Every structure is written in structure tokens, then in C-alpha cells.
Amino acid sequence: MLLQILGSFLAVVAFCFILNTPRRHILFAGLTGAAGWALYLVLGSRGLNTGVATFFSGCLVSLCGQLLARVLKTPVTIFVIPGILPLVPGAGMYHIVDSMLRSDSMTSYYVTQTLVAAGMIAMSIIVMDGLFRLFFKNHIYKGDSYVDR
Amino acid sequence: MNYKLLLDTAVAAGELMLENGAETYRVEDTMHRILSLSRLQTAEVFVTMTGFVATLDDPSIHSMTVVRRITERGTNLDMIDQLNSLSRNLCSGELSLEAAARQIQDLKSHPWKPGAFLVSTPVVTAAFALTYGGTLSEAFLSAVTGFVIAVCLYACRRLKLPSFFGTLLSSAAASVLASGFLRMFPFFGNLDSVIIASIMPLVPGVAITNAVFDTLHGDYLSGTARMLEAFVTAAAVAMGIGIGLGISG
């Protein structure tokens, strides 16, 4: 499991280079991603299903992203885009195609699982952003600002 | 104040942000802030994912309107970060308009360097093989397929093919390579984990995240457009795997 968490950290950091994330934020983005994946693994080993585990780890990634964005005064997406990547259901997409080619009866199950995981990522970002907007109104600019930066 | 320069600066900033994958509401907000520095009666911006309209008007001047169409989109978070702090400095008065315009021109002339992309894609795929519980030999094979993916994407970018084909071709190439190799050397690892790790640089994580943020900020037009982008990309990846596995039997 340690190897998996290390792997997710390395993967997120390397993905930051593809996205050309600012150098000074790469370490934080990597830690965000690794924290999210570690929570996912823990929840998974406790027997929670993929959707719920994705939701909670997505919340953690989004929480870290929102906090870091406010501390470092930078857009939230700089941390959330790379950090969320290990949770994106690439495995589900592969299993859909694989089961379609085999024409076994699992296709609809995998389709549902993949859509649920993608939806849960979206929900977790929405929930965290909503909470932050509730508690941290117009923190940097005075006036009618709604952009987190 | 030089209104023409102000409008040009806002337009250049908005163009760069949209081209480099900023969320639509952020572009709209940034441009609106810059245009509001003019203190004219009308300073309006309307941004969608594929282009924008910006206008400045007042009884004292001839109205000025600019329309821009954005055709190429990538993701460059550094550019977004820099433009973000630039516009903040400009709006707080720490930076003069002329200096800001010059800095934006400098940013515009920064070329995209393929080196980091070609090196980091194999690292991403190898690390994802480990992330999803693969073995070291699977990670090694994923690095090889990751390099193939990077080369395919780079070639498609140079040939100016639509990104759909780039994604499709590279996932097809990766799955042909992985399944061909594992057919010859079955002891090397599991096909599932290699392919899952290899497609991770292609999955629409950026599109999903930006779709959510745009929808959240009430920009439903861009939100749905990005959701569709996510679905199309996912379909391209899936079709690529299907074609690849089909070819290699």
C-alpha cells in the first residue's frame, strides 16, 4: 500500500510537468493527490464501495486544493486538476471496452460504476466549493468578487 | 487612459487564458476586472469555451468591441497562474497598464517545449501502474507504452490533427503494443494493469474538473460543453483500446 501511495505521488508530480504547473506548487499538488489516493485505499480496504470512497477522497483533494489556493493565492484548479487524477475512472473505461469485446454480461455494471465514479468526483468538488463559499466570503477582494484566488 | 491599450490587454489576457485551459468564469472575471479599470459606463465581456466578445463604451468615446475565436486549447497551468497574478497586480495598481501589456506579450511568445512532455508521460504511466497495485515489471512496460503515447500525441499535435484522433491513435498504439508484448512474454505481467496505467495521461480529468467549476459558477454553457468534451475524450480512449485489442486479437 505504501508503494501505491508513493506511486500516486510520483504520478501526480509527473502529471504536473505535463500540465506545466508552476514549479513552486508541484510538491503541494503531489501531496494533495497522494493524500486523496491514500484515503481512497484506506476506505476501500474498510469495505466501502468505489463510489463512496471516490466521493470522500475527492472531498479531501478538493479541501486541500481550496485551502492551498487561499494560502498561496493561486487558482484552485492548479491543485485540484492534478490531485484528482488518480481517482478518475480510467480502469472503469478499460473494463467497459474489455467486457464489450468479450460480450459478457458485465458491461452495464462497469458503465454504471464508471459514471458513478465520475459523478462522485464532480459532487465532491461541488460540495467542498459550496462549503468554502459559505464560510469564506470575499476573502481577498472587497466587493462582489466570487472568484477564488 | 489609453482605452485601446486597455481593451487589447484584456483581450490578450483572455485569449491566453482560454487557450491554456482556464475555466470560463475565471476568464470572464479577469477580463471584466481589467476592463473595469477604465471606469467607463459599459465594460462588458461575454466568454464561452470557444471564443469571446468584449466591449467598452461611454458617451465620451466611440464604442469599441472585439470578438475573438479560440480554436486551439491545451492545458498550461503556469500561464494561468501568471496571468492571474498579473491581473491582480494590474487591478490593485501595483503594475502600470503599459508594463502589463508588455508582460502579456512576453508570455505570449513563450513556446511550448515538448521535452518535459516526452519525459514525464512515461513517468506518469509507470507511476500509475504502481498506484493501481501493479508490479515493477508492469510499471516498466507501462513506461514504454507511455513513451509511445507521448510520441503519438506529439506527432498528432505537429500534424494539427483534431485531439480526438490523437487520443484515439495513442490509446490504440499503446494497447496494440501492450497486448502484443504480453502475448509473447506472458510472464511479464497482467494486460489489464498495463493498459489502465497507459491510458491515464489521456483520460479527461482536466475536462471533468473544469466542467464542474464552470457549472458551479453558473456558466452552464461552458459547463455542458466541457462535459461533452469529457465524454468525447473518454469515447476516444475507449475506441482506441477497442481497436488496439481488436487488431492484436
Side-chain angles (χ1 to χ4, degrees), chain A residues 7-52:
Chain A
S8 68
F9 176 76
L10 189 63
V12 173
V13 166
F15 200 70
C16 284
F17 281 96
I18 296 183
L19 297 175
N20 204 353
T21 309
R23 290 284 152 86
R24 60 187 185 285
H25 300 325
I26 285 181
L27 181 67
F28 295 112
L31 289 176
T32 305
W37 186 246
L39 184 65
Y40 181 88
L41 289 177
V42 169
L43 293 179
S45 67
R46 290 289 164 84
L48 265 77
N49 68 36
T50 329
V52 181

mmCIF file of all heavy atoms in Angstrom, chain A residues 7-52:
data_model
loop_
_atom_site.group_PDB
_atom_site.id
_atom_site.type_symbol
_atom_site.label_atom_id
_atom_site.label_comp_id
_atom_site.label_asym_id
_atom_site.label_seq_id
_atom_site.Cartn_x
_atom_site.Cartn_y
_atom_site.Cartn_z
ATOM 1 N N GLY A 7 3.510 5.689 -5.506
ATOM 2 C CA GLY A 7 3.242 5.717 -6.943
ATOM 3 C C GLY A 7 2.310 6.844 -7.302
ATOM 4 O O GLY A 7 2.547 7.567 -8.278
ATOM 5 N N SER A 8 1.261 7.053 -6.492
ATOM 6 C CA SER A 8 0.314 8.115 -6.826
ATOM 7 C C SER A 8 0.981 9.484 -6.687
ATOM 8 O O SER A 8 0.735 10.376 -7.499
ATOM 9 C CB SER A 8 -0.921 8.028 -5.940
ATOM 10 O OG SER A 8 -0.605 8.328 -4.613
ATOM 11 N N PHE A 9 1.847 9.628 -5.668
ATOM 12 C CA PHE A 9 2.565 10.896 -5.514
ATOM 13 C C PHE A 9 3.415 11.185 -6.749
ATOM 14 O O PHE A 9 3.354 12.262 -7.350
ATOM 15 C CB PHE A 9 3.449 10.843 -4.265
ATOM 16 C CG PHE A 9 4.304 12.056 -4.074
ATOM 17 C CD1 PHE A 9 3.755 13.234 -3.614
ATOM 18 C CD2 PHE A 9 5.655 12.024 -4.373
ATOM 19 C CE1 PHE A 9 4.528 14.363 -3.445
ATOM 20 C CE2 PHE A 9 6.428 13.155 -4.208
ATOM 21 C CZ PHE A 9 5.871 14.318 -3.745
ATOM 22 N N LEU A 10 4.176 10.163 -7.158
ATOM 23 C CA LEU A 10 5.053 10.322 -8.321
ATOM 24 C C LEU A 10 4.234 10.605 -9.581
ATOM 25 O O LEU A 10 4.598 11.475 -10.389
ATOM 26 C CB LEU A 10 5.871 9.042 -8.494
ATOM 27 C CG LEU A 10 6.993 9.099 -9.511
ATOM 28 C CD1 LEU A 10 8.022 10.118 -9.071
ATOM 29 C CD2 LEU A 10 7.638 7.733 -9.646
ATOM 30 N N ALA A 11 3.115 9.893 -9.721
ATOM 31 C CA ALA A 11 2.282 10.078 -10.907
ATOM 32 C C ALA A 11 1.739 11.491 -10.971
ATOM 33 O O ALA A 11 1.763 12.134 -12.031
ATOM 34 C CB ALA A 11 1.130 9.076 -10.895
ATOM 35 N N VAL A 12 1.263 12.000 -9.833
ATOM 36 C CA VAL A 12 0.693 13.348 -9.826
ATOM 37 C C VAL A 12 1.780 14.382 -10.107
ATOM 38 O O VAL A 12 1.583 15.319 -10.882
ATOM 39 C CB VAL A 12 -0.013 13.623 -8.483
ATOM 40 C CG1 VAL A 12 -0.458 15.061 -8.405
ATOM 41 C CG2 VAL A 12 -1.208 12.723 -8.334
ATOM 42 N N VAL A 13 2.963 14.178 -9.495
ATOM 43 C CA VAL A 13 4.058 15.124 -9.727
ATOM 44 C C VAL A 13 4.451 15.131 -11.205
ATOM 45 O O VAL A 13 4.611 16.195 -11.823
ATOM 46 C CB VAL A 13 5.267 14.771 -8.839
ATOM 47 C CG1 VAL A 13 6.496 15.512 -9.297
ATOM 48 C CG2 VAL A 13 4.969 15.128 -7.400
ATOM 49 N N ALA A 14 4.562 13.937 -11.796
ATOM 50 C CA ALA A 14 4.936 13.870 -13.206
ATOM 51 C C ALA A 14 3.858 14.486 -14.078
ATOM 52 O O ALA A 14 4.147 15.158 -15.072
ATOM 53 C CB ALA A 14 5.182 12.421 -13.613
ATOM 54 N N PHE A 15 2.589 14.278 -13.684
ATOM 55 C CA PHE A 15 1.500 14.859 -14.469
ATOM 56 C C PHE A 15 1.529 16.385 -14.389
ATOM 57 O O PHE A 15 1.164 17.065 -15.340
ATOM 58 C CB PHE A 15 0.155 14.324 -13.985
ATOM 59 C CG PHE A 15 -0.932 14.478 -14.999
ATOM 60 C CD1 PHE A 15 -0.924 13.723 -16.155
ATOM 61 C CD2 PHE A 15 -1.954 15.388 -14.817
ATOM 62 C CE1 PHE A 15 -1.906 13.876 -17.101
ATOM 63 C CE2 PHE A 15 -2.943 15.545 -15.757
ATOM 64 C CZ PHE A 15 -2.919 14.784 -16.905
ATOM 65 N N CYS A 16 2.002 16.902 -13.242
ATOM 66 C CA CYS A 16 2.152 18.348 -13.098
ATOM 67 C C CYS A 16 3.096 18.907 -14.160
ATOM 68 O O CYS A 16 2.901 20.012 -14.655
ATOM 69 C CB CYS A 16 2.690 18.688 -11.729
ATOM 70 S SG CYS A 16 1.475 18.549 -10.443
ATOM 71 N N PHE A 17 4.127 18.137 -14.501
ATOM 72 C CA PHE A 17 5.050 18.615 -15.532
ATOM 73 C C PHE A 17 4.364 18.650 -16.889
ATOM 74 O O PHE A 17 4.629 19.535 -17.704
ATOM 75 C CB PHE A 17 6.300 17.733 -15.580
ATOM 76 C CG PHE A 17 7.279 18.062 -14.497
ATOM 77 C CD1 PHE A 17 7.293 17.339 -13.323
ATOM 78 C CD2 PHE A 17 8.162 19.122 -14.638
ATOM 79 C CE1 PHE A 17 8.182 17.646 -12.320
ATOM 80 C CE2 PHE A 17 9.046 19.448 -13.645
ATOM 81 C CZ PHE A 17 9.066 18.710 -12.482
ATOM 82 N N ILE A 18 3.479 17.673 -17.157
ATOM 83 C CA ILE A 18 2.740 17.691 -18.420
ATOM 84 C C ILE A 18 1.833 18.917 -18.474
ATOM 85 O O ILE A 18 1.724 19.574 -19.504
ATOM 86 C CB ILE A 18 1.898 16.410 -18.578
ATOM 87 C CG1 ILE A 18 2.807 15.193 -18.660
ATOM 88 C CG2 ILE A 18 1.024 16.488 -19.814
ATOM 89 C CD1 ILE A 18 2.081 13.908 -18.881
ATOM 90 N N LEU A 19 1.185 19.226 -17.342
ATOM 91 C CA LEU A 19 0.269 20.369 -17.304
ATOM 92 C C LEU A 19 1.009 21.683 -17.141
ATOM 93 O O LEU A 19 0.385 22.735 -17.142
ATOM 94 C CB LEU A 19 -0.708 20.222 -16.139
ATOM 95 C CG LEU A 19 -1.661 19.039 -16.171
ATOM 96 C CD1 LEU A 19 -2.450 18.991 -14.892
ATOM 97 C CD2 LEU A 19 -2.601 19.156 -17.352
ATOM 98 N N ASN A 20 2.334 21.600 -16.967
ATOM 99 C CA ASN A 20 3.157 22.792 -16.758
ATOM 100 C C ASN A 20 2.699 23.575 -15.527
ATOM 101 O O ASN A 20 2.517 24.793 -15.571
ATOM 102 C CB ASN A 20 3.119 23.678 -18.008
ATOM 103 C CG ASN A 20 4.337 24.556 -18.092
ATOM 104 O OD1 ASN A 20 5.136 24.590 -17.165
ATOM 105 N ND2 ASN A 20 4.462 25.266 -19.181
ATOM 106 N N THR A 21 2.492 22.858 -14.439
ATOM 107 C CA THR A 21 2.142 23.511 -13.175
ATOM 108 C C THR A 21 3.323 24.357 -12.709
ATOM 109 O O THR A 21 4.464 23.952 -12.900
ATOM 110 C CB THR A 21 1.834 22.442 -12.115
ATOM 111 O OG1 THR A 21 0.890 21.527 -12.655
ATOM 112 C CG2 THR A 21 1.285 23.046 -10.851
ATOM 113 N N PRO A 22 3.069 25.530 -12.118
ATOM 114 C CA PRO A 22 4.183 26.335 -11.612
ATOM 115 C C PRO A 22 5.050 25.523 -10.651
ATOM 116 O O PRO A 22 4.517 24.806 -9.801
ATOM 117 C CB PRO A 22 3.481 27.481 -10.873
ATOM 118 C CG PRO A 22 2.132 27.546 -11.450
ATOM 119 C CD PRO A 22 1.787 26.205 -11.964
ATOM 120 N N ARG A 23 6.374 25.658 -10.801
ATOM 121 C CA ARG A 23 7.302 24.816 -10.049
ATOM 122 C C ARG A 23 7.038 24.840 -8.551
ATOM 123 O O ARG A 23 7.081 23.817 -7.884
ATOM 124 C CB ARG A 23 8.746 25.268 -10.304
ATOM 125 C CG ARG A 23 9.243 24.974 -11.688
ATOM 126 C CD ARG A 23 9.578 23.508 -11.865
ATOM 127 N NE ARG A 23 9.424 23.104 -13.257
ATOM 128 C CZ ARG A 23 10.375 23.240 -14.165
ATOM 129 N NH1 ARG A 23 11.536 23.708 -13.827
ATOM 130 N NH2 ARG A 23 10.158 22.883 -15.421
ATOM 131 N N ARG A 24 6.758 26.043 -8.021
ATOM 132 C CA ARG A 24 6.658 26.147 -6.567
ATOM 133 C C ARG A 24 5.409 25.460 -6.017
ATOM 134 O O ARG A 24 5.303 25.268 -4.807
ATOM 135 C CB ARG A 24 6.682 27.613 -6.156
ATOM 136 C CG ARG A 24 5.554 28.438 -6.724
ATOM 137 C CD ARG A 24 5.734 29.911 -6.426
ATOM 138 N NE ARG A 24 4.592 30.677 -6.877
ATOM 139 C CZ ARG A 24 4.353 30.962 -8.147
ATOM 140 N NH1 ARG A 24 5.182 30.562 -9.088
ATOM 141 N NH2 ARG A 24 3.282 31.673 -8.490
ATOM 142 N N HIS A 25 4.465 25.083 -6.889
ATOM 143 C CA HIS A 25 3.249 24.435 -6.402
ATOM 144 C C HIS A 25 3.249 22.932 -6.607
ATOM 145 O O HIS A 25 2.346 22.248 -6.144
ATOM 146 C CB HIS A 25 2.026 25.018 -7.107
ATOM 147 C CG HIS A 25 1.852 26.484 -6.882
ATOM 148 N ND1 HIS A 25 2.176 27.087 -5.693
ATOM 149 C CD2 HIS A 25 1.390 27.465 -7.690
ATOM 150 C CE1 HIS A 25 1.929 28.379 -5.776
ATOM 151 N NE2 HIS A 25 1.471 28.634 -6.980
ATOM 152 N N ILE A 26 4.265 22.397 -7.320
ATOM 153 C CA ILE A 26 4.210 20.987 -7.713
ATOM 154 C C ILE A 26 4.196 20.068 -6.502
ATOM 155 O O ILE A 26 3.402 19.121 -6.432
ATOM 156 C CB ILE A 26 5.389 20.650 -8.645
ATOM 157 C CG1 ILE A 26 5.122 21.237 -10.024
ATOM 158 C CG2 ILE A 26 5.571 19.143 -8.767
ATOM 159 C CD1 ILE A 26 6.192 20.959 -11.028
ATOM 160 N N LEU A 27 5.046 20.356 -5.506
ATOM 161 C CA LEU A 27 5.125 19.498 -4.326
ATOM 162 C C LEU A 27 3.764 19.418 -3.628
ATOM 163 O O LEU A 27 3.290 18.334 -3.272
ATOM 164 C CB LEU A 27 6.187 20.040 -3.370
ATOM 165 C CG LEU A 27 6.387 19.221 -2.109
ATOM 166 C CD1 LEU A 27 6.972 17.862 -2.461
ATOM 167 C CD2 LEU A 27 7.289 19.940 -1.137
ATOM 168 N N PHE A 28 3.106 20.576 -3.476
ATOM 169 C CA PHE A 28 1.814 20.609 -2.798
ATOM 170 C C PHE A 28 0.773 19.822 -3.586
ATOM 171 O O PHE A 28 -0.029 19.090 -3.016
ATOM 172 C CB PHE A 28 1.353 22.053 -2.617
ATOM 173 C CG PHE A 28 2.236 22.847 -1.710
ATOM 174 C CD1 PHE A 28 2.996 23.880 -2.200
ATOM 175 C CD2 PHE A 28 2.310 22.535 -0.366
ATOM 176 C CE1 PHE A 28 3.818 24.604 -1.362
ATOM 177 C CE2 PHE A 28 3.134 23.248 0.477
ATOM 178 C CZ PHE A 28 3.891 24.291 -0.023
ATOM 179 N N ALA A 29 0.803 19.977 -4.913
ATOM 180 C CA ALA A 29 -0.150 19.249 -5.735
ATOM 181 C C ALA A 29 0.073 17.743 -5.582
ATOM 182 O O ALA A 29 -0.887 16.973 -5.455
ATOM 183 C CB ALA A 29 -0.011 19.662 -7.204
ATOM 184 N N GLY A 30 1.346 17.330 -5.568
ATOM 185 C CA GLY A 30 1.653 15.911 -5.406
ATOM 186 C C GLY A 30 1.158 15.383 -4.079
ATOM 187 O O GLY A 30 0.561 14.294 -4.010
ATOM 188 N N LEU A 31 1.367 16.162 -3.006
ATOM 189 C CA LEU A 31 0.905 15.722 -1.687
ATOM 190 C C LEU A 31 -0.619 15.635 -1.653
ATOM 191 O O LEU A 31 -1.185 14.703 -1.075
ATOM 192 C CB LEU A 31 1.405 16.692 -0.612
ATOM 193 C CG LEU A 31 2.910 16.616 -0.345
ATOM 194 C CD1 LEU A 31 3.322 17.683 0.653
ATOM 195 C CD2 LEU A 31 3.286 15.243 0.171
ATOM 196 N N THR A 32 -1.284 16.612 -2.296
ATOM 197 C CA THR A 32 -2.740 16.573 -2.366
ATOM 198 C C THR A 32 -3.220 15.280 -3.013
ATOM 199 O O THR A 32 -4.091 14.590 -2.485
ATOM 200 C CB THR A 32 -3.251 17.768 -3.198
ATOM 201 O OG1 THR A 32 -2.731 18.961 -2.636
ATOM 202 C CG2 THR A 32 -4.745 17.826 -3.218
ATOM 203 N N GLY A 33 -2.616 14.972 -4.168
ATOM 204 C CA GLY A 33 -3.020 13.759 -4.880
ATOM 205 C C GLY A 33 -2.750 12.508 -4.069
ATOM 206 O O GLY A 33 -3.597 11.608 -3.985
ATOM 207 N N ALA A 34 -1.569 12.446 -3.413
ATOM 208 C CA ALA A 34 -1.223 11.256 -2.637
ATOM 209 C C ALA A 34 -2.157 11.107 -1.440
ATOM 210 O O ALA A 34 -2.584 9.994 -1.108
ATOM 211 C CB ALA A 34 0.219 11.337 -2.167
ATOM 212 N N ALA A 35 -2.516 12.234 -0.801
ATOM 213 C CA ALA A 35 -3.432 12.168 0.334
ATOM 214 C C ALA A 35 -4.784 11.615 -0.108
ATOM 215 O O ALA A 35 -5.365 10.729 0.546
ATOM 216 C CB ALA A 35 -3.609 13.561 0.943
ATOM 217 N N GLY A 36 -5.279 12.109 -1.245
ATOM 218 C CA GLY A 36 -6.556 11.618 -1.762
ATOM 219 C C GLY A 36 -6.513 10.136 -2.043
ATOM 220 O O GLY A 36 -7.415 9.385 -1.668
ATOM 221 N N TRP A 37 -5.441 9.666 -2.674
ATOM 222 C CA TRP A 37 -5.342 8.266 -3.035
ATOM 223 C C TRP A 37 -5.185 7.398 -1.781
ATOM 224 O O TRP A 37 -5.738 6.308 -1.692
ATOM 225 C CB TRP A 37 -4.191 8.032 -4.005
ATOM 226 C CG TRP A 37 -4.159 6.628 -4.503
ATOM 227 C CD1 TRP A 37 -3.206 5.700 -4.271
ATOM 228 C CD2 TRP A 37 -5.165 5.980 -5.299
ATOM 229 N NE1 TRP A 37 -3.546 4.518 -4.868
ATOM 230 C CE2 TRP A 37 -4.731 4.660 -5.501
ATOM 231 C CE3 TRP A 37 -6.387 6.401 -5.845
ATOM 232 C CZ2 TRP A 37 -5.473 3.735 -6.232
ATOM 233 C CZ3 TRP A 37 -7.117 5.484 -6.574
ATOM 234 C CH2 TRP A 37 -6.659 4.170 -6.762
ATOM 235 N N ALA A 38 -4.431 7.901 -0.773
ATOM 236 C CA ALA A 38 -4.267 7.141 0.469
ATOM 237 C C ALA A 38 -5.618 6.947 1.143
ATOM 238 O O ALA A 38 -5.959 5.831 1.570
ATOM 239 C CB ALA A 38 -3.312 7.872 1.406
ATOM 240 N N LEU A 39 -6.412 8.003 1.181
ATOM 241 C CA LEU A 39 -7.742 7.882 1.788
ATOM 242 C C LEU A 39 -8.594 6.890 1.015
ATOM 243 O O LEU A 39 -9.316 6.078 1.601
ATOM 244 C CB LEU A 39 -8.422 9.256 1.821
ATOM 245 C CG LEU A 39 -9.789 9.266 2.524
ATOM 246 C CD1 LEU A 39 -9.617 8.945 3.990
ATOM 247 C CD2 LEU A 39 -10.475 10.600 2.373
ATOM 248 N N TYR A 40 -8.482 6.944 -0.311
ATOM 249 C CA TYR A 40 -9.250 6.014 -1.147
ATOM 250 C C TYR A 40 -8.890 4.570 -0.816
ATOM 251 O O TYR A 40 -9.763 3.716 -0.665
ATOM 252 C CB TYR A 40 -8.962 6.311 -2.620
ATOM 253 C CG TYR A 40 -9.709 5.439 -3.597
ATOM 254 C CD1 TYR A 40 -10.977 5.786 -4.040
ATOM 255 C CD2 TYR A 40 -9.139 4.269 -4.084
ATOM 256 C CE1 TYR A 40 -11.659 4.991 -4.933
ATOM 257 C CE2 TYR A 40 -9.810 3.469 -4.971
ATOM 258 C CZ TYR A 40 -11.076 3.836 -5.405
ATOM 259 O OH TYR A 40 -11.744 3.041 -6.281
ATOM 260 N N LEU A 41 -7.585 4.316 -0.685
ATOM 261 C CA LEU A 41 -7.145 2.944 -0.380
ATOM 262 C C LEU A 41 -7.643 2.506 0.998
ATOM 263 O O LEU A 41 -8.123 1.376 1.158
ATOM 264 C CB LEU A 41 -5.624 2.858 -0.431
ATOM 265 C CG LEU A 41 -4.990 2.954 -1.802
ATOM 266 C CD1 LEU A 41 -3.483 2.929 -1.690
ATOM 267 C CD2 LEU A 41 -5.462 1.808 -2.694
ATOM 268 N N VAL A 42 -7.545 3.406 1.985
ATOM 269 C CA VAL A 42 -7.991 3.051 3.338
ATOM 270 C C VAL A 42 -9.476 2.744 3.332
ATOM 271 O O VAL A 42 -9.923 1.713 3.854
ATOM 272 C CB VAL A 42 -7.672 4.206 4.320
ATOM 273 C CG1 VAL A 42 -8.348 3.969 5.646
ATOM 274 C CG2 VAL A 42 -6.179 4.327 4.510
ATOM 275 N N LEU A 43 -10.264 3.637 2.703
ATOM 276 C CA LEU A 43 -11.713 3.420 2.661
ATOM 277 C C LEU A 43 -12.047 2.145 1.917
ATOM 278 O O LEU A 43 -12.945 1.399 2.300
ATOM 279 C CB LEU A 43 -12.409 4.618 2.009
ATOM 280 C CG LEU A 43 -12.365 5.932 2.779
ATOM 281 C CD1 LEU A 43 -13.072 7.024 1.995
ATOM 282 C CD2 LEU A 43 -13.006 5.775 4.141
ATOM 283 N N GLY A 44 -11.295 1.890 0.828
ATOM 284 C CA GLY A 44 -11.536 0.664 0.065
ATOM 285 C C GLY A 44 -11.262 -0.574 0.903
ATOM 286 O O GLY A 44 -12.012 -1.548 0.853
ATOM 287 N N SER A 45 -10.191 -0.535 1.701
ATOM 288 C CA SER A 45 -9.857 -1.715 2.494
ATOM 289 C C SER A 45 -10.843 -1.897 3.653
ATOM 290 O O SER A 45 -10.966 -2.983 4.207
ATOM 291 C CB SER A 45 -8.435 -1.599 3.041
ATOM 292 O OG SER A 45 -8.373 -0.549 3.966
ATOM 293 N N ARG A 46 -11.563 -0.815 4.015
ATOM 294 C CA ARG A 46 -12.600 -0.950 5.034
ATOM 295 C C ARG A 46 -13.906 -1.485 4.443
ATOM 296 O O ARG A 46 -14.928 -1.545 5.122
ATOM 297 C CB ARG A 46 -12.891 0.406 5.690
ATOM 298 C CG ARG A 46 -11.800 0.908 6.559
ATOM 299 C CD ARG A 46 -11.698 0.088 7.832
ATOM 300 N NE ARG A 46 -10.438 0.310 8.502
ATOM 301 C CZ ARG A 46 -10.206 1.323 9.322
ATOM 302 N NH1 ARG A 46 -11.154 2.196 9.547
ATOM 303 N NH2 ARG A 46 -9.040 1.456 9.896
ATOM 304 N N GLY A 47 -13.896 -1.747 3.142
ATOM 305 C CA GLY A 47 -15.067 -2.366 2.525
ATOM 306 C C GLY A 47 -16.077 -1.385 1.958
ATOM 307 O O GLY A 47 -17.183 -1.778 1.584
ATOM 308 N N LEU A 48 -15.733 -0.090 1.872
ATOM 309 C CA LEU A 48 -16.658 0.852 1.233
ATOM 310 C C LEU A 48 -16.615 0.639 -0.278
ATOM 311 O O LEU A 48 -15.581 0.255 -0.826
ATOM 312 C CB LEU A 48 -16.263 2.289 1.571
ATOM 313 C CG LEU A 48 -17.009 2.890 2.763
ATOM 314 C CD1 LEU A 48 -16.422 2.345 4.036
ATOM 315 C CD2 LEU A 48 -16.877 4.395 2.746
ATOM 316 N N ASN A 49 -17.736 0.933 -0.961
ATOM 317 C CA ASN A 49 -17.713 0.719 -2.403
ATOM 318 C C ASN A 49 -17.029 1.880 -3.111
ATOM 319 O O ASN A 49 -16.733 2.921 -2.518
ATOM 320 C CB ASN A 49 -19.119 0.459 -2.943
ATOM 321 C CG ASN A 49 -20.000 1.671 -2.842
ATOM 322 O OD1 ASN A 49 -19.547 2.792 -3.014
ATOM 323 N ND2 ASN A 49 -21.262 1.456 -2.542
ATOM 324 N N THR A 50 -16.768 1.690 -4.413
ATOM 325 C CA THR A 50 -15.969 2.644 -5.178
ATOM 326 C C THR A 50 -16.553 4.047 -5.143
ATOM 327 O O THR A 50 -15.822 5.022 -4.973
ATOM 328 C CB THR A 50 -15.892 2.198 -6.646
ATOM 329 O OG1 THR A 50 -15.958 0.789 -6.687
ATOM 330 C CG2 THR A 50 -14.637 2.682 -7.297
ATOM 331 N N GLY A 51 -17.879 4.146 -5.308
ATOM 332 C CA GLY A 51 -18.495 5.465 -5.382
ATOM 333 C C GLY A 51 -18.277 6.259 -4.115
ATOM 334 O O GLY A 51 -17.839 7.411 -4.154
ATOM 335 N N VAL A 52 -18.556 5.630 -2.968
ATOM 336 C CA VAL A 52 -18.425 6.341 -1.687
ATOM 337 C C VAL A 52 -16.973 6.699 -1.436
ATOM 338 O O VAL A 52 -16.648 7.831 -1.033
ATOM 339 C CB VAL A 52 -18.984 5.467 -0.548
ATOM 340 C CG1 VAL A 52 -18.866 6.200 0.771
ATOM 341 C CG2 VAL A 52 -20.419 5.105 -0.813
#
